[in-house]
Short mmCIF file of all heavy atoms in Angstrom, two decimals:
data_model
loop_
_atom_site.label_atom_id
_atom_site.label_comp_id
_atom_site.label_asym_id
_atom_site.label_seq_id
_atom_site.Cartn_x
_atom_site.Cartn_y
_atom_site.Cartn_z
N PHE T 1 3.83 -7.36 -41.01
CA PHE T 1 2.64 -7.45 -40.09
C PHE T 1 2.27 -8.96 -39.95
O PHE T 1 2.33 -9.70 -40.90
CB PHE T 1 1.44 -6.71 -40.74
CG PHE T 1 1.58 -5.24 -40.62
CD1 PHE T 1 2.21 -4.52 -41.61
CD2 PHE T 1 1.11 -4.48 -39.51
CE1 PHE T 1 2.37 -3.12 -41.54
CE2 PHE T 1 1.28 -3.12 -39.39
CZ PHE T 1 1.91 -2.50 -40.39
N LEU T 2 1.92 -9.29 -38.73
CA LEU T 2 1.54 -10.64 -38.38
C LEU T 2 0.20 -10.65 -37.82
O LEU T 2 -0.08 -10.06 -36.72
CB LEU T 2 2.60 -11.24 -37.39
CG LEU T 2 2.27 -12.60 -36.81
CD1 LEU T 2 2.30 -13.66 -37.93
CD2 LEU T 2 3.30 -12.96 -35.75
N ARG T 3 -0.76 -11.34 -38.48
CA ARG T 3 -2.09 -11.42 -37.95
C ARG T 3 -2.27 -12.73 -37.22
O ARG T 3 -2.30 -13.86 -37.83
CB ARG T 3 -3.13 -11.31 -39.12
CG ARG T 3 -4.57 -11.46 -38.62
CD ARG T 3 -5.63 -11.24 -39.75
NE ARG T 3 -6.92 -11.58 -39.24
CZ ARG T 3 -7.63 -12.69 -39.65
NH1 ARG T 3 -7.06 -13.44 -40.58
NH2 ARG T 3 -8.78 -12.96 -39.21
N THR T 4 -2.33 -12.65 -35.89
CA THR T 4 -2.51 -13.77 -35.08
C THR T 4 -2.95 -13.36 -33.68
O THR T 4 -3.02 -12.19 -33.35
CB THR T 4 -1.20 -14.63 -34.96
OG1 THR T 4 -1.48 -15.92 -34.45
CG2 THR T 4 -0.14 -13.93 -34.12
N SER T 5 -3.21 -14.31 -32.84
CA SER T 5 -3.54 -14.06 -31.43
C SER T 5 -2.26 -13.90 -30.61
O SER T 5 -1.31 -14.67 -30.69
CB SER T 5 -4.31 -15.20 -30.82
OG SER T 5 -5.56 -15.36 -31.50
N ILE T 6 -2.18 -12.86 -29.83
CA ILE T 6 -1.00 -12.58 -29.02
C ILE T 6 -0.78 -13.61 -28.01
O ILE T 6 0.42 -13.87 -27.59
CB ILE T 6 -1.06 -11.18 -28.45
CG1 ILE T 6 -1.14 -10.10 -29.57
CG2 ILE T 6 0.19 -10.83 -27.56
CD1 ILE T 6 -1.36 -8.68 -29.07
N GLU T 7 -1.74 -14.34 -27.56
CA GLU T 7 -1.59 -15.44 -26.65
C GLU T 7 -0.64 -16.50 -27.14
O GLU T 7 -0.09 -17.23 -26.35
CB GLU T 7 -3.00 -16.09 -26.30
CG GLU T 7 -3.91 -15.29 -25.48
CD GLU T 7 -4.66 -14.26 -26.28
OE1 GLU T 7 -4.44 -14.07 -27.50
OE2 GLU T 7 -5.62 -13.69 -25.73
N ILE T 8 -0.48 -16.59 -28.46
CA ILE T 8 0.42 -17.61 -28.99
C ILE T 8 1.62 -16.96 -29.73
O ILE T 8 2.25 -17.59 -30.52
CB ILE T 8 -0.31 -18.63 -29.95
CG1 ILE T 8 -0.97 -17.77 -31.07
CG2 ILE T 8 -1.32 -19.42 -29.15
CD1 ILE T 8 -1.60 -18.69 -32.16
N ILE T 9 2.01 -15.74 -29.27
CA ILE T 9 3.07 -14.97 -29.97
C ILE T 9 4.37 -15.72 -29.95
O ILE T 9 5.19 -15.58 -30.83
CB ILE T 9 3.17 -13.56 -29.34
CG1 ILE T 9 4.09 -12.70 -30.17
CG2 ILE T 9 3.59 -13.66 -27.89
CD1 ILE T 9 3.60 -12.41 -31.55
N ASP T 10 4.66 -16.53 -28.92
CA ASP T 10 5.92 -17.15 -28.83
C ASP T 10 6.08 -18.32 -29.82
O ASP T 10 7.21 -18.86 -29.92
CB ASP T 10 6.13 -17.74 -27.39
CG ASP T 10 4.93 -18.60 -26.92
OD1 ASP T 10 3.79 -18.21 -27.09
OD2 ASP T 10 5.18 -19.73 -26.39
N ARG T 11 5.07 -18.58 -30.58
CA ARG T 11 5.21 -19.63 -31.65
C ARG T 11 5.80 -19.04 -32.89
O ARG T 11 6.14 -19.85 -33.84
CB ARG T 11 3.87 -20.26 -31.97
CG ARG T 11 3.16 -20.95 -30.75
CD ARG T 11 1.93 -21.71 -31.20
NE ARG T 11 1.16 -22.23 -30.05
CZ ARG T 11 0.17 -23.08 -30.16
NH1 ARG T 11 -0.22 -23.52 -31.38
NH2 ARG T 11 -0.49 -23.47 -29.09
N PHE T 12 6.00 -17.76 -32.94
CA PHE T 12 6.41 -17.09 -34.19
C PHE T 12 7.83 -16.53 -34.16
O PHE T 12 8.33 -16.15 -35.13
CB PHE T 12 5.45 -15.99 -34.52
CG PHE T 12 4.05 -16.45 -34.80
CD1 PHE T 12 3.14 -16.51 -33.76
CD2 PHE T 12 3.65 -16.84 -36.09
CE1 PHE T 12 1.79 -17.00 -33.96
CE2 PHE T 12 2.36 -17.27 -36.29
CZ PHE T 12 1.47 -17.39 -35.25
N PHE T 13 8.45 -16.58 -33.00
CA PHE T 13 9.77 -16.01 -32.86
C PHE T 13 10.66 -16.93 -32.05
O PHE T 13 10.21 -17.54 -31.04
CB PHE T 13 9.66 -14.61 -32.23
CG PHE T 13 8.86 -13.62 -32.99
CD1 PHE T 13 7.52 -13.47 -32.70
CD2 PHE T 13 9.43 -12.94 -34.00
CE1 PHE T 13 6.76 -12.55 -33.43
CE2 PHE T 13 8.65 -12.05 -34.80
CZ PHE T 13 7.32 -11.87 -34.46
N GLY T 14 11.94 -17.02 -32.44
CA GLY T 14 12.89 -17.90 -31.73
C GLY T 14 13.55 -17.23 -30.56
O GLY T 14 13.45 -16.00 -30.39
N PRO T 15 14.35 -17.92 -29.76
CA PRO T 15 15.04 -17.38 -28.65
C PRO T 15 15.96 -16.15 -29.05
O PRO T 15 16.65 -16.26 -30.07
CB PRO T 15 15.91 -18.49 -28.14
CG PRO T 15 15.17 -19.75 -28.48
CD PRO T 15 14.52 -19.39 -29.85
N ASP T 16 15.90 -15.10 -28.30
CA ASP T 16 16.74 -13.87 -28.53
C ASP T 16 16.52 -13.25 -29.92
O ASP T 16 17.40 -12.47 -30.41
CB ASP T 16 18.17 -14.24 -28.35
CG ASP T 16 18.53 -14.75 -26.93
OD1 ASP T 16 17.97 -14.19 -26.02
OD2 ASP T 16 19.27 -15.75 -26.84
N GLU T 17 15.38 -13.49 -30.58
CA GLU T 17 15.13 -12.95 -31.92
C GLU T 17 14.66 -11.51 -31.89
O GLU T 17 14.89 -10.77 -32.84
CB GLU T 17 14.17 -13.86 -32.66
CG GLU T 17 14.14 -13.45 -34.18
CD GLU T 17 13.35 -14.48 -34.98
OE1 GLU T 17 12.59 -15.26 -34.37
OE2 GLU T 17 13.53 -14.51 -36.18
N VAL T 18 14.09 -11.08 -30.76
CA VAL T 18 13.48 -9.72 -30.71
C VAL T 18 14.21 -8.89 -29.63
O VAL T 18 14.54 -9.45 -28.50
CB VAL T 18 11.97 -9.89 -30.34
CG1 VAL T 18 11.35 -8.54 -30.12
CG2 VAL T 18 11.25 -10.64 -31.45
N GLN T 19 14.37 -7.64 -29.89
CA GLN T 19 15.06 -6.82 -28.92
C GLN T 19 14.09 -5.88 -28.12
O GLN T 19 14.47 -5.52 -27.03
CB GLN T 19 16.04 -5.87 -29.71
CG GLN T 19 17.36 -6.49 -30.12
CD GLN T 19 17.17 -7.71 -31.11
OE1 GLN T 19 16.51 -7.52 -32.10
NE2 GLN T 19 17.73 -8.83 -30.76
N GLU T 20 12.99 -5.52 -28.72
CA GLU T 20 12.06 -4.64 -28.02
C GLU T 20 10.62 -4.96 -28.33
O GLU T 20 10.35 -5.47 -29.36
CB GLU T 20 12.25 -3.14 -28.42
CG GLU T 20 13.66 -2.58 -28.09
CD GLU T 20 13.79 -1.13 -28.40
OE1 GLU T 20 12.78 -0.38 -28.28
OE2 GLU T 20 14.90 -0.65 -28.74
N ILE T 21 9.75 -4.69 -27.33
CA ILE T 21 8.34 -4.85 -27.50
C ILE T 21 7.57 -3.54 -27.17
O ILE T 21 7.93 -2.92 -26.13
CB ILE T 21 7.78 -6.00 -26.58
CG1 ILE T 21 8.33 -7.36 -27.04
CG2 ILE T 21 6.21 -5.95 -26.51
CD1 ILE T 21 7.96 -8.46 -26.06
N TRP T 22 6.70 -3.12 -28.04
CA TRP T 22 5.82 -1.91 -27.76
C TRP T 22 4.44 -2.44 -27.50
O TRP T 22 3.88 -3.23 -28.30
CB TRP T 22 5.85 -0.99 -28.95
CG TRP T 22 7.00 -0.10 -28.94
CD1 TRP T 22 8.33 -0.28 -29.46
CD2 TRP T 22 7.11 1.27 -28.40
NE1 TRP T 22 9.10 0.73 -29.23
CE2 TRP T 22 8.39 1.74 -28.61
CE3 TRP T 22 6.17 2.10 -27.75
CZ2 TRP T 22 8.79 3.00 -28.24
CZ3 TRP T 22 6.58 3.36 -27.35
CH2 TRP T 22 7.90 3.80 -27.56
N LEU T 23 3.79 -1.87 -26.45
CA LEU T 23 2.41 -2.13 -26.17
C LEU T 23 1.74 -0.79 -26.17
O LEU T 23 1.85 0.03 -25.27
CB LEU T 23 2.24 -2.82 -24.77
CG LEU T 23 3.09 -4.11 -24.52
CD1 LEU T 23 2.97 -4.53 -23.10
CD2 LEU T 23 2.55 -5.23 -25.46
N THR T 24 1.02 -0.51 -27.22
CA THR T 24 0.42 0.82 -27.45
C THR T 24 -1.05 0.72 -27.29
O THR T 24 -1.79 0.21 -28.09
CB THR T 24 0.81 1.35 -28.79
OG1 THR T 24 0.50 0.43 -29.82
CG2 THR T 24 2.31 1.73 -28.87
N PHE T 25 -1.60 1.30 -26.24
CA PHE T 25 -3.07 1.46 -25.91
C PHE T 25 -3.75 0.11 -25.94
O PHE T 25 -4.77 -0.11 -26.57
CB PHE T 25 -3.69 2.46 -26.90
CG PHE T 25 -3.05 3.80 -26.73
CD1 PHE T 25 -1.98 4.17 -27.56
CD2 PHE T 25 -3.50 4.65 -25.77
CE1 PHE T 25 -1.38 5.46 -27.38
CE2 PHE T 25 -2.86 5.89 -25.62
CZ PHE T 25 -1.85 6.29 -26.38
N SER T 26 -3.12 -0.86 -25.27
CA SER T 26 -3.69 -2.16 -25.12
C SER T 26 -4.98 -2.13 -24.28
O SER T 26 -5.09 -1.31 -23.41
CB SER T 26 -2.70 -3.10 -24.37
OG SER T 26 -1.41 -3.06 -24.99
N ASP T 27 -5.85 -3.04 -24.58
CA ASP T 27 -7.08 -3.26 -23.73
C ASP T 27 -6.58 -3.53 -22.33
O ASP T 27 -5.86 -4.47 -22.09
CB ASP T 27 -7.92 -4.39 -24.29
CG ASP T 27 -9.26 -4.48 -23.62
OD1 ASP T 27 -9.34 -4.20 -22.44
OD2 ASP T 27 -10.25 -4.90 -24.25
N PRO T 28 -7.03 -2.75 -21.32
CA PRO T 28 -6.57 -2.99 -19.91
C PRO T 28 -7.04 -4.35 -19.33
O PRO T 28 -6.43 -4.73 -18.34
CB PRO T 28 -7.20 -1.76 -19.15
CG PRO T 28 -8.29 -1.26 -19.97
CD PRO T 28 -7.91 -1.54 -21.36
N GLN T 29 -8.05 -4.96 -19.97
CA GLN T 29 -8.48 -6.24 -19.44
C GLN T 29 -8.68 -6.26 -17.90
O GLN T 29 -8.05 -7.04 -17.20
CB GLN T 29 -7.52 -7.36 -19.92
CG GLN T 29 -7.41 -7.52 -21.45
CD GLN T 29 -8.71 -8.14 -22.02
OE1 GLN T 29 -9.56 -8.64 -21.33
NE2 GLN T 29 -8.76 -8.11 -23.37
N MET T 30 -9.48 -5.36 -17.43
CA MET T 30 -9.60 -5.22 -16.00
C MET T 30 -10.24 -6.47 -15.26
O MET T 30 -10.05 -6.61 -14.05
CB MET T 30 -10.45 -3.92 -15.72
CG MET T 30 -9.74 -2.69 -16.16
SD MET T 30 -10.65 -1.15 -15.76
CE MET T 30 -11.82 -1.13 -17.12
#
């Protein structure tokens, strides 16, 4: 588990390090 702001998520993973992303019941931010 990583506790951080998703706005800066790219600071935690390198190129091609992740294969899939799940967005489950995200705030729609209308």
Side-chain angles (χ1 to χ4, degrees):
F1 287 90
L2 174 63
R3 180 175 169 251
T4 194
S5 299
I6 299 175
E7 287 84 352
I8 57 172
I9 189 64
D10 51 313
R11 300 188 187 191
F12 297 90
F13 301 94
D16 299 320
E17 190 169 20
V18 174
Q19 281 64 52
E20 297 184 32
I21 292 173
W22 278 85
L23 306 171
T24 51
F25 300 94
S26 309
D27 188 325
Q29 297 289 349
M30 293 183 282

